[in-house]
Amino acid sequence: MTFRASHLLGIEHLHSTEITTLLDLADQYAEDNRKGRAHRDVLEGLTQINMFFENSTRTQASFEIAGKRLGADVMNMAMQASSIKKGETLIDTALTLNAMRPDLLVVRHPHSGAVDLLAQKVNCAVLNAGDGRHEHPTQALLDALTIRRAKGRLHRLSIAICGDVAHSRVARSNIMLLGKMENRVRLVGPPTLLPAGVEEFGVEVFSDMREGLKDVDVVMMLRLQKERMDGGFIPSEREYFHRYGLDAEKLSHAKPDAIVMHPGPMNRGVEIDGSIADDINRSVIQEQVEMGVAVRMAAMDLLARNLGASRRAKTLGVMV
Ligand code: NCD
């Protein structure tokens, strides 16, 4: 088998063959989901705990549906109502949960690196559902599957990731994944919203939307992540929409068959015009949500297959 990981913490440590293995399996799950076929024996008898320390609609729902479709016992912890903070208390939480013997732990946390830390303390497979501005691997994988299905391939495509890249874990994971699969990635946005040292990522950078979108195959829009901003990064939302919001005119600079993506939640009239988001000939935003369930099914299936080996290795003190 070409999927060796025992956790899914980020795209950074995945090999391109592991990405392809996961996407191929997710593709099969996507087809079965459309036919209404469940695979309840795959995670039968396993316990999945979802711990979301940050707001989520689609990611949490998607992980829950994916687990249930594969037959896992799924439990959602209401983390936001608790007074848990990072550091020792996070580790204490991890140890408490670990004592309950879960098999799969799905974690979203506002601090970059928190999920990796937690993974070191537990004896089960950990899936990162987004940590701070660091990584959001299942989002990048579902984006990749959506692109592959729409374009028929996942290499040598020109992809523009636009908007608030600086605060976006979605952008980071996507830049790594699309780079590993040998695509050309462009980052487009105001200089204040592009991370420092961005050139090191092997991407092209544009501050003008029309130039940045010229002849691209895929336009990926990002939400302005105000909850991660500690000052004024843009003059006003109106001005931002005027310069960087995706509308029909700006999109006309991309290839005529370019697809439009957005991880959600969307701010219509800020980073994207509502009519573009709803245009079924261009927008694949709903397909992204659909592929999210399939990708999470595939990820949990593959990690569950590796569980026995990684638990044995941990007992023996071997690093996996
Ligand atoms: C993204 C996230 O949480 O990072 N949303 C998601 O998972 N669908 C992007 C965002 O919040 O803007």
Side-chain angles (χ1 to χ4, degrees), residues 10-184:
I11 298 297
E12 189 175 1
H13 302 296
L14 283 185
H15 193 271
S16 60
T17 56
E18 288 180 300
I19 293 170
T20 304
T21 299
L22 196 151
L23 295 183
D24 289 348
L25 181 60
D27 223 357
Q28 289 172 29
Y29 278 132
E31 290 312 313
D32 287 346
N33 285 343
R34 285 193 176 174
K35 292 180 191 133
R37 204 179 286 157
H39 294 265
R40 303 214 190 277
D41 53 334
V42 171
L43 297 183
E44 197 189 340
L46 299 188
T47 302
Q48 171 191 339
I49 301 182
N50 296 336
M51 292 168 72
F52 280 67
F53 294 87
E54 234 186 33
N55 290 347
S56 174
T57 308
R58 68 216 84 223
T59 307
Q60 183 166 355
S62 178
F63 267 112
E64 183 173 354
I65 290 170
K68 286 184 170 160
R69 227 163 251 177
L70 295 179
D73 295 315
V74 185
M75 185 228 177
N76 288 307
M77 292 200 46
M79 305 311 299
Q80 273 180 324
S82 80
S83 57
I84 288 167
K85 301 224 165 62
K86 66 167 178 169
E88 268 199 336
T89 44
L90 176 68
I91 292 169
D92 278 345
T93 313
L95 294 176
T96 306
L97 283 171
N98 195 46
M100 297 180 198
R101 302 203 154 273
D103 302 286
L104 298 152
L105 207 51
V106 180
V107 189
R108 169 170 286 192
H109 198 279
H111 297 284
S112 305
V115 184
D116 293 46
L117 183 67
L118 196 141
Q120 290 164 23
K121 306 288 172 190
V122 296
N123 197 19
C124 61
V126 176
L127 293 100
N128 182 0
D131 65 323
R133 45 176 99 169
H134 178 224
E135 280 237 36
H136 192 352
T138 55
Q139 180 69 44
L141 289 159
L142 74 88
D143 289 340
L145 183 59
T146 307
I147 294 171
R148 199 173 82 167
R149 288 169 66 103
K151 293 283 155 205
R153 67 180 201 274
L154 188 60
H155 59 271
R156 274 190 254 138
L157 291 167
S158 183
I159 296 156
I161 303 179
C162 312
D164 184 3
V165 179
H167 299 101
S168 178
R169 53 197 176 205
V170 174
R172 270 184 63 88
S173 291
N174 263 302
I175 291 166
M176 284 187 266
L177 190 154
L178 295 168
K180 280 178 200 256
M181 306 312 278
E182 289 171 18
N183 296 284
R184 285 185 303 278

Side-chain angles (χ1 to χ4, degrees), residues 160-166 186-194 204-213 219-225 229 233-253 260-262 267-274 276:
I161 303 179
C162 312
D164 184 3
V165 179
R186 300 174 175 194
L187 302 183
V188 191
T192 48
L193 292 178
L194 295 174
E204 280 182 274
V205 181
F206 296 85
S207 59
D208 180 276
M209 272 292 263
R210 291 168 186 84
E211 281 173 30
L213 296 194
V219 182
M220 192 181 285
M221 300 307 299
L222 300 171
R223 183 175 66 90
L224 269 187
Q225 296 177 65
M229 296 182 187
F233 283 81
I234 55 162
S236 72
E237 286 186 357
R238 232 180 102 122
E239 172 73 10
Y240 184 80
F241 181 72
H242 176 67
R243 294 195 57 189
Y244 294 102
L246 186 67
D247 56 15
E249 192 281 317
K250 293 189 194 88
L251 182 57
S252 71
H253 295 263
V260 174
M261 308 180 75
H262 193 304
N267 286 316
R268 291 169 183 256
V270 180
E271 70 266 359
I272 189 164
D273 190 283
I276 297 289

